[in-house]
Amino acid sequence: MSGGLALTELRLSHFRSHRAAQVMLDGRPVAIHGPNGAGKTNLLEAVSLLSPGRGLRRAAAEDLARLPEALGWRIAATLRAGARHHEIELRAEPGQSRTVRIDDKAAPQLALGRLARILWLVPSMDRLWTEAAEGRRRFLDRLALSFEPAHGEAVLGYEKAMRERNRLLRDQQRDPAWYRALEGQMARSGALIERRRRDALERIGRAQEGAATQFPVALLSMSQEDLGEEGLGVLLERERGRDMAAGRSLRGPHRADLVAIYGSKDMPAAQSSTGEQKALLISLILANARALRADLGAAPILLLDEVAAHLDARRRAALYDEICALGSQAWMTGTEPDLFEGLGARGQHVTMDADGGMRQEG
Ligand SMILES: Nc1ncnc2c1ncn2[C@@H]1O[C@H](COP(=O)(O)OP(=O)(O)OP(=O)(O)O)[C@@H](O)[C@H]1O
């Protein structure tokens, strides 16, 4: 519907609690309800794995196999992107890493990023603004990755070079020649990372300006100034002595933090109420989705795990209206069917039983 990206079919086998499951979809938002432990989040996790990375639980491939059998697992999906359909298959045999096939050809994980833009909000992110900076950096990199799938390669390249530099530092290696290539790599990748993070924040800021939304504006900025490749190279060289004493690289984009202000109150997000923090996250994911739609002409797939239950009735209605206006196939979970009454026939409804059985309505 409305030209968004959408899964039209999802089939799981031996994935988490699902021995065999299948849903057929038409692009409308998907409301999934059922009791605790029914496997709703597992279903969303399967969808999240159709984008690069380890999915919304950051799980290792072996944790995804259905216990107690722990046989190989498989996720197969049909993705509609404009007028085209793609068949995506992810699978892993016991003890092996996952493999990806797109349209029946082996593909690298990163290829998924160009095909399926998938954003998510999960309950563990409720503490995003109050907990350690690492979570916010990961969130920030996911924002950047949503706009530029190659961002993931820059992050991996930076981290690899930094790990090697840290090893030299711990070994008290003093010869500058050992450091030059690694610091050059860190400066190159680091500058790309900084630029893309900032670019993502700008795009999201623009998408929040004048948007018809009931959710609060989140003003985002970076805790560090953007040094650029040359500046980062100079910094790393200058800090080598101090880094050696610490046994690790103390400064660089790997230490950046994301600063969020609750717009209308001009107050740090961390000091907002629990409900306000949730509303800020929803606001950001919707802005991210609007910005992506403006770029690509198609709204991304959204995964909103247990979001509806945390909103008052007015905001819940606003969320459904905004999702429908976006034209996004949003997958939403909740324990009670009445949470999705306001979505009505604008969505597809899936009921899950305690034992994971699924029934589709509408
Ligand atoms: N590898 C696995 N094999 C079999 N079952 C698993 C596996 N991993 C998780 N589970 C089971 O899946 C169930 C959790 O599923 P899920 O998190 O999707 O529930 P949910 O429907 O989202 O529930 P809630 O409403 O409580 O969040 C748990 O019962 C858990 O034991």
Side-chain angles (χ1 to χ4, degrees):
M1 320 208 81
S2 319
L5 283 171
L7 298 186
T8 54
E9 187 176 348
L10 178 68
R11 291 191 308 280
L12 307 180
S13 113
H14 284 269
F15 178 84
R16 293 271 192 199
S17 55
H18 299 279
R19 186 190 301 276
Q22 181 177 27
V23 252
M24 306 297 289
L25 307 146
D26 61 13
R28 280 180 289 166
V30 190
I32 306 159
H33 65 85
N36 294 139
K40 305 181 293 296
T41 308
N42 293 344
L43 202 62
L44 265 54
E45 183 181 32
V47 180
S48 72
L49 287 163
L50 301 171
S51 63
R54 292 165 62 172
L56 54 73
R57 284 196 178 103
R58 298 174 45 72
E62 61 267 25
D63 294 335
L64 303 175
R66 185 172 193 274
L67 297 171
E69 307 92 333
L71 303 170
W73 56 264
R74 176 174 185 264
I75 303 170
T78 308
L79 175 81
R80 191 183 67 202
R84 305 191 56 178
H85 284 79
H86 298 281
E87 300 298 327
I88 305 177
E89 185 197 57
L90 249 77
R91 64 191 309 157
E93 296 308 320
Q96 299 196 355
S97 53
R98 77 195 68 174
T99 58
V100 179
R101 293 182 77 79
I102 299 175
D103 295 329
D104 223 12
K105 286 196 209 58
Q109 263 225 35
L110 286 168
L112 292 171
R114 300 237 169 255
L115 214 54
R117 311 281 172 136
I118 302 173
L119 315 178
W120 57 81
L121 213 53
V122 294
S124 62
M125 288 162 70
D126 288 354
R127 296 178 298 280
L128 188 77
W129 307 121
T130 48
E131 288 197 337
E134 192 193 343
R136 286 186 292 281
R137 267 195 303 275
R138 209 178 300 128
F139 177 68
L140 178 60
D141 283 327
R142 281 225 317 280
L143 296 178
L145 190 72
S146 76
F147 294 109
E148 180 44 72
H151 183 69
E153 285 161 324
V155 172
L156 292 177
Y158 180 88
E159 287 175 349
K160 183 163 179 274
M162 183 175 72
R163 275 198 302 277
E164 287 180 36
R165 181 177 188 266
N166 287 350
R167 197 161 43 78
L168 295 182
L169 292 167
R170 280 196 303 276
D171 291 349
Q172 302 281 306
Q173 177 59 252
R174 284 172 197 281
D175 184 350
W178 286 86
Y179 288 92
R180 264 182 218 125
L182 293 174
E183 289 174 1
Q185 171 66 39
M186 283 174 76
R188 257 189 315 281
S189 306
L192 272 177
I193 293 169
E194 284 181 334
R195 182 147 29 89
R196 288 182 182 141
R197 284 174 174 172
R198 232 165 263 272
D199 184 54
L201 297 192
E202 275 167 26
R203 289 185 200 213
I204 285 170
R206 281 198 298 275
Q208 291 191 107
E209 278 168 22
T213 178
Q214 296 286 319
F215 292 92
V217 171
L219 303 173
L220 301 182
S221 59
M222 300 292 305
S223 64
Q224 296 181 345
E225 66 170 319
D226 192 349
L227 291 177
E229 183 174 338
E230 204 186 318
L232 267 175
V234 171
L235 175 84
L236 290 166
E237 189 180 341
R238 197 184 65 214
E239 296 292 308
R240 234 178 256 156
R242 218 182 313 208
D243 286 355
M244 199 175 285
R248 67 199 157 94
S249 309
L250 292 172
R251 295 183 59 189
H254 62 288
R255 299 301 297 271
D257 198 356
L258 174 65
V259 181
I261 300 288
Y262 191 100
S264 59
K265 295 193 165 181
D266 200 16
M267 186 184 274
Q271 288 176 37
S272 311
S273 78
T274 317
E276 286 172 338
Q277 292 185 33
K278 190 94 183 177
L280 273 189
L281 285 171
I282 296 172
S283 171
L284 284 178
I285 202 170
L286 291 172
N288 190 0
R290 281 196 298 273
L292 272 172
R293 191 182 62 167
D295 267 18
L296 307 170
I301 293 171
L302 300 179
L303 306 176
L304 306 178
D305 193 20
E306 285 178 45
V307 168
H310 292 271
L311 299 176
D312 57 43
R314 183 184 65 83
R315 282 218 165 118
R316 204 153 54 228
L319 177 66
Y320 300 149
D321 290 348
E322 292 184 30
I323 282 169
C324 292
L326 255 171
S328 165
Q329 184 184 53
W331 296 60
M332 297 176 277
T333 64
T335 49
E336 311 306 326
D338 12 327
L339 288 170
F340 303 111
E341 252 168 28
L343 182 64
R346 296 179 295 172
Q348 287 184 283
H349 297 258
V350 177
T351 308
M352 293 188 72
D353 310 328
D355 63 4
M358 278 197 271
R359 216 171 44 251
Q360 276 185 256
E361 295 151 43

